């Protein structure tokens, strides 16, 4: 493995950091998060048209840039630094790979170029807080019981008029209130022969109600979806294995999420180091005290280790090595530590709404609720690697 970045990868990071610095400062971030969409459409258009971000990891034949997961993870690291609210995670990391892996030729031709151009945003909808289970990051469920087990709850699908109709409710859908295309996991076939394929639902479909939820992290908007006799299109064919595709997506998503968390952790650490170097106590900078140095050094080591793990996880996706869950666990813990120390070492100002330290703290807490907790990510990774079985022999 060559750990050096290519000139093209360095350019992606540089260009994206410059654009976000100009267009997504603290004031712009708060304003965008407070809009009904939860993000700035003008910024999303700039990210798509100037940098090709939505199609970064899509093949060129579908209008994408043709890069790997590594480039997408580097982009996520930069958006994480700025806490930039955008449909990047929901569209490019979660939904687009499923459309590419499972879609028919006609579906790919109709949808992927529009996603790559930024004119179509998408969201993945799985029932309840089951996203990490569906992605096989905190457990393996080959029968899709996370989707409701064919009983009450989740989303049910039935054939009607030569197509499909969906019924049910889905909570905690990232960018589900604004996405123009929804990729919905739903049960078919009843309890005895239950399957969990994925369906495409247009954002303006009849019978679809979308309500933005009040989330702990305002920069990570979520929605509740209600489907009542909603027309849907099956993603792929009748024999498409959606559960396997979701499990394979898990490592890609985890690598990108880990990079995003590392970007946020690195930024809040930078801001904290800058502050303690300026803030004086007893006639000297707070950062000159040994105890403060030790605390920040510990956070620095965590962030650097998490960054290395995230980069490796992104590279390992192409090698078929499943290490994304471990990298995500390490990154979430680093972000939590960096955000907590940032709040503490900023003192009284760190607790105010005016300072952005609390935004990073909420991102840390919100991400662990959505994609963790850390101990479950690590426990599942240990089970997959048979760590405890080997230790017991």
């Amino acid at each position: 493995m060559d750990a050096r970045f290519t000139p093209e990868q360095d350019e992606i990071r540089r260009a994206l950091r410059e654009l976000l610095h100009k267009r997504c400062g603290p004031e712009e971030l708060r304003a965008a998060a407070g809009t009904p969409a939860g993000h700035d459409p003008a910024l999303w258009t700039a990210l798509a048209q100037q940098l090709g971000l939505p199609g970064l990891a899509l093949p060129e034949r579908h209008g994408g840039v043709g890069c790997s997961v590594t480039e997408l993870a580097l982009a996520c690291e930069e958006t994480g630094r700025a806490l930039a609210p955008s449909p990047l995670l929901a569209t490019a990391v979660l939904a687009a790979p499923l459309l590419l892996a499972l879609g028919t030729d006609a579906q790919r031709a109709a949808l992927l170029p529009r996603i790559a151009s930024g004119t179509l945003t998408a969201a993945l909808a799985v029932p309840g807080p089951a996203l990490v289970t569906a992605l096989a990051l905190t457990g393996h469920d080959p029968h899709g019981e996370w989707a409701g087990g064919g009983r009450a709850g989740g989303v049910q699908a039935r054939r009607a008029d030569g197509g499909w109709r969906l019924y049910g409710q889905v909570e905690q859908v990232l960018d589900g209130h604004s996405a123009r295309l929804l990729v919905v996991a739903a049960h078919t076939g009843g309890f005895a022969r239950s399957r969990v394929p994925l369906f495409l639902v247009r954002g303006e479909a009849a019978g679809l109600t979308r309500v933005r939820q009040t989330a702990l992290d305002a920069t990570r908007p979520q929605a509740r979806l209600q489907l009542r006799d909603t027309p849907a299109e099956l993603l792929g064919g009748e024999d498409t294995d959606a559960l396997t595709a979701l499990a394979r997506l898990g490592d890609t998503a985890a690598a990108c999420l880990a990079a995003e968390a590392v970007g946020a952790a690195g930024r809040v650490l930078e801001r904290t180091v800058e502050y303690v170097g300026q803030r004086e106590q007893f006639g000297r900078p707070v950062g000159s005290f040994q105890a403060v140095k030790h605390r920040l050094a510990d956070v620095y080591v965590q962030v650097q280790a998490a960054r290395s793990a995230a980069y490796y996880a992104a590279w390992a996706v192409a090698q078929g090595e499943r290490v994304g869950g471990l990298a995500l666990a390490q990154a979430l813990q680093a972000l939590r530590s960096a955000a907590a120390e940032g709040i503490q070492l900023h003192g009284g100002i760190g607790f105010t709404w005016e300072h952005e330290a609390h935004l990073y703290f909420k991102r840390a807490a919100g991400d662990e609720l959505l994609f963790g907790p850390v101990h479950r990510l690590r426990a599942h990774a240990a089970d997959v690697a048979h760590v405890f079985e080997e230790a017991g022999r």
Side-chain angles (χ1 to χ4, degrees), residues 273-280 285-287:
V273 170
E274 179 183 353
Y275 179 78
V276 299
Q278 299 172 350
R279 172 70 173 171
E280 291 192 357
V286 172

Side-chain angles (χ1 to χ4, degrees), residues 125-306:
V126 298
L131 180 59
V132 288
T133 305
L135 297 176
L137 293 175
T138 58
H140 179 59
D141 183 0
H143 304 296
E145 293 183 4
W146 49 264
R151 305 176 181 86
V155 180
Q156 309 296 317
R158 69 173 180 84
R159 295 182 184 273
D161 303 324
W164 292 89
R165 298 279 177 163
L166 303 186
Y167 302 81
Q169 181 168 299
V170 189
E171 307 279 353
Q172 296 179 309
V173 180
L174 297 177
D175 288 298
H177 61 294
S178 61
R180 299 179 62 187
L181 177 70
L182 301 171
V183 182
V184 183
H187 267 283
T188 66
F191 176 66
R193 295 181 301 163
S194 181
R195 293 178 58 246
V196 187
L198 296 174
F199 293 87
L200 302 178
V201 177
R202 310 295 169 176
E204 67 280 1
L208 173 64
T209 302
R210 306 191 285 178
V211 179
R212 182 177 176 181
Q213 302 286 73
T214 300
L216 174 65
D217 178 10
T219 67
R220 185 87 83 191
Q222 303 170 39
R224 180 179 69 247
L225 310 182
Q226 291 181 332
L227 303 109
R228 298 292 182 267
D229 196 29
T230 303
E233 176 186 351
L234 181 66
L235 177 60
E238 294 288 343
D239 58 347
T240 298
D241 189 355
L243 295 178
T244 299
L246 283 167
R248 288 175 179 168
L249 174 63
D251 267 357
T252 297
C256 292
L257 285 165
E260 189 187 66
V262 164
R267 181 56 181 157
V268 73
L269 176 60
E270 290 173 8
R271 292 296 306 272
T272 304
V273 170
E274 179 183 353
Y275 179 78
V276 299
Q278 299 172 350
R279 172 70 173 171
E280 291 192 357
Q281 190 81 33
F282 305 113
R284 53 189 287 194
V286 172
S288 67
F289 292 101
Q290 190 175 42
V292 174
K293 291 180 180 179
H294 285 177
R295 291 170 67 172
L296 291 175
D298 288 343
V299 174
Y300 176 80
V301 171
Q302 287 189 57
V303 172
Q304 290 301 102

Side-chain angles (χ1 to χ4, degrees), residues 371-390:
F371 309 116
V374 167
H375 70 271
R376 289 188 61 196
L377 290 167
R378 287 179 170 156
H380 178 61
D383 288 342
V384 171
H386 306 291
V387 170
F388 298 112
E389 292 178 16
E390 294 294 332

Side-chain angles (χ1 to χ4, degrees), residues 66-161:
C67 293
S68 68
V69 175
T70 299
E71 285 78 12
L72 185 57
L74 292 176
C76 288
E77 182 180 3
E78 294 305 318
T79 58
R81 273 181 59 89
L83 295 185
S86 80
L88 180 65
L89 176 62
T91 299
V93 177
L94 295 177
L98 292 172
L99 298 175
L100 179 63
L102 302 178
T104 64
D105 290 341
Q107 288 170 338
R108 292 172 184 166
L111 300 174
L112 291 179
R114 295 170 60 198
I115 284 180
S117 67
T119 58
L120 177 67
T121 57
L124 173 63
V126 298
L131 180 59
V132 288
T133 305
L135 297 176
L137 293 175
T138 58
H140 179 59
D141 183 0
H143 304 296
E145 293 183 4
W146 49 264
R151 305 176 181 86
V155 180
Q156 309 296 317
R158 69 173 180 84
R159 295 182 184 273
D161 303 324

Side-chain angles (χ1 to χ4, degrees), residues 338-366:
E341 290 292 359
I343 291 285
Q344 288 290 321
L345 294 177
H346 272 86
I349 194 174
F351 289 88
T352 64
W353 288 106
E354 289 77 11
H355 200 275
E356 63 262 34
H358 74 94
L359 297 176
Y360 288 89
F361 188 83
K362 289 176 180 177
R363 170 60 66 90

Side-chain angles (χ1 to χ4, degrees), residues 317-339:
V317 169
Q319 318 305 316
E321 189 176 352
R322 299 186 61 87
V323 295
L326 277 176
L328 179 57
Q330 193 160 357
L332 291 178
Q333 184 168 354
L335 176 55
R336 182 174 59 188
S337 298

